[in-house]
Amino acid sequence: MGFSQPKIAKRVLSLFNSRRRLLIALGLLGLVPMLVSTVLLWKVLDKQLMSSHQKRLANSLHTMELVLEGKANKLNDALSSMASDNTLQVTMDLEILPQLNRYLKTHYVLTGFDYLHVVKDDGKRKTLIKFGKIGQTLSFDAETQEGTGLQLHKGSLLLTTNFPVNHHGKHLGHVYGGIALSTSVLQDLERHMIGAIPILWWKRSTVMSSDFADKPNAPQSPLKIFEWNPTGESYLGMSKVFEVANNRMQIGALVSRSELVKGLIEIAITIGMVLLLMALIAYSALRSHNIRRKAEESLEAEKEKALATLASIGDAVFSISPNDRIEYINEAAGDLLDCDPSN
């Protein structure tokens, strides 16, 4: 029983649709391991990036320690040298104020301190010279604090120190100096800590860069990463204890969490591009294979059609190879040559 042309077309179309659905299902099935691999790789990279940020924060804290120690040593060395300088001793003893003023101004400019004072103590304390805007409002109570220390003065955290000035066994007074950690030192720290934001804590007070001056205090988490969201933007941070003479303070560093997300997005895009490239290569290879297979099938069909045509005609047809061997004869040629075409 034969089939009508519409029924044959429907069966062919049905077979084509089934094959297409199968290919789509196989393609989707092939995407599952790729997606699983992508998720697992994302988690591994997230962990590695978090570890990288932890090392970065630890390095930033080490940098802060070095900078702060350098500032404290510079402050001590400069004031110790000044206290033992004969020029300062003589001008203090004789109260030669113009020369003393020039001497202190030179050292104030060279050292970069935020304030520099000379106080004479001959029974009655008297400030001879003051340099620095911060120093103009310091009280005598603050100035009489002995040794290196920390002091919070009108919102500025000061690293201060002083040295006694003696001349030929006679005590003349003290030379005082200080650095504002909340201004110049924070700026130096930001230059050294590329991509990280420094924080200082002392006696429940948080000293930060101007960008965070009006934000809530960041949490303290010694040598452990903490998260902080001051105004919607998320930060990762770490802190540790730092000692200045006998004063303990907390130092910390922040990095923007958006950098971590940005890094993950860049990695995800790279992975996606690689997967897309692999898919395109696989598709191109499959398409080339299909084109070649269809070409071979078409060629074979044409060959069979040609052979059928040659076999059906009444004229004798035969072909000879370059080596003068008979490659093909049809039935008419076989009858003519008295040979079997199938052989």
Side-chain angles (χ1 to χ4, degrees):
M1 182 178 180
F3 292 96
S4 63
Q5 289 186 354
K7 289 183 177 180
I8 294 174
K10 287 182 180 180
R11 289 196 64 180
V12 171
L13 185 60
S14 176
L15 289 172
F16 176 76
N17 289 335
S18 299
R19 184 179 179 185
R20 185 173 61 179
R21 285 195 294 269
L22 179 61
L23 289 175
I24 292 173
L26 290 175
L28 293 175
L29 188 63
L31 287 175
V32 172
M34 295 173 64
L35 292 173
V36 172
S37 300
T38 302
V39 172
L40 293 176
L41 185 58
W42 177 283
K43 290 184 177 180
V44 170
L45 291 174
D46 180 58
K47 186 176 180 180
Q48 290 181 346
L49 283 173
M50 186 65 72
S51 176
S52 174
H53 276 278
Q54 188 170 5
K55 291 179 181 178
R56 180 181 174 186
L57 289 169
N59 290 335
S60 296
L61 291 179
H62 182 62
T63 300
M64 290 184 71
E65 286 183 306
L66 294 177
V67 172
L68 291 172
E69 286 175 357
K71 294 290 184 181
N73 292 335
K74 179 181 178 181
L75 182 63
N76 285 327
D77 293 345
L79 291 185
S80 175
S81 176
M82 290 173 63
S84 59
D85 192 335
N86 187 64
T87 301
L88 178 65
Q89 296 169 3
V90 172
T91 52
M92 278 187 65
D93 190 17
L94 301 178
E95 295 190 20
I96 309 174
L97 297 185
Q99 187 174 350
L100 179 61
N101 185 75
R102 287 195 299 271
Y103 176 86
L104 286 182
K105 183 177 181 180
T106 300
H107 283 77
Y108 174 73
V109 173
L110 291 176
T111 57
F113 295 158
D114 288 291
Y115 79 89
L116 191 59
H117 293 187
V118 171
V119 177
K120 189 171 183 180
D121 186 6
D122 53 359
K124 182 179 179 182
R125 294 181 58 82
K126 179 171 61 174
T127 301
L128 299 181
I129 300 291
K130 281 186 176 184
F131 277 101
K133 292 182 179 180
I134 294 177
Q136 300 299 324
T137 57
L138 282 174
S139 65
F140 276 108
D141 292 338
E143 290 182 339
T144 55
Q145 179 180 347
E146 295 292 336
T148 302
L150 295 170
Q151 177 187 342
L152 193 63
H153 177 70
K154 293 188 175 181
S156 294
L157 183 60
L158 305 178
L159 176 63
T160 65
T161 192
N162 65 80
F163 280 87
V165 181
N166 302 305
H167 185 58
H168 298 308
K170 176 184 176 183
H171 176 68
L172 301 177
H174 287 79
V175 57
Y176 297 86
I179 302 172
L181 299 181
S182 53
T183 53
S184 58
V185 174
L186 274 180
Q187 293 171 2
D188 287 345
L189 288 172
E190 289 175 349
R191 283 195 294 269
H192 286 87
M193 297 163 55
I194 300 174
I197 303 167
I199 323 173
L200 306 173
W201 292 273
W202 188 65
K203 291 186 177 180
R204 297 183 180 180
S205 297
T206 304
V207 181
M208 307 179 69
S209 66
S210 57
D211 294 338
F212 295 90
D214 59 343
K215 305 296 187 297
N217 288 352
Q220 300 180 42
S221 180
L223 297 178
K224 293 182 180 179
I225 287 185
F226 62 82
E227 286 197 42
W228 184 51
N229 303 283
T231 54
E233 185 173 0
S234 181
Y235 291 88
L236 299 176
M238 185 184 291
S239 67
K240 68 180 299 185
V241 175
F242 178 72
E243 292 193 9
V244 180
N246 295 323
N247 297 268
R248 293 166 62 88
M249 62 185 295
Q250 287 275 129
I251 61 174
L254 295 174
V255 292
S256 175
R257 192 171 178 82
S258 61
E259 292 185 13
L260 176 62
V261 176
K262 182 180 178 182
L264 287 174
I265 291 174
E266 290 176 352
I267 292 172
I269 291 174
T270 303
I271 294 173
M273 294 297 290
V274 171
L275 293 175
L276 179 61
L277 181 61
M278 292 173 62
L280 288 175
I281 292 172
Y283 172 75
S284 178
L286 180 61
R287 188 169 181 271
S288 299
H289 173 73
N290 289 335
I291 291 174
R292 185 171 63 253
R293 181 177 55 80
K294 288 180 180 179
E296 291 174 352
E297 291 176 353
S298 176
L299 183 62
E300 186 66 25
E302 290 294 330
K303 181 180 177 181
E304 291 178 358
K305 183 178 179 181
L307 291 175
T309 302
L310 292 173
S312 64
I313 64 178
D315 296 330
V317 178
F318 61 90
S319 64
I320 300 174
S321 70
N323 298 328
D324 296 329
R325 293 178 61 86
I326 297 176
E327 290 184 337
Y328 171 78
I329 59 175
N330 64 355
E331 290 186 7
D335 293 339
L336 182 64
L337 298 175
D338 194 20
C339 63
D340 188 0
S342 61
N343 296 328

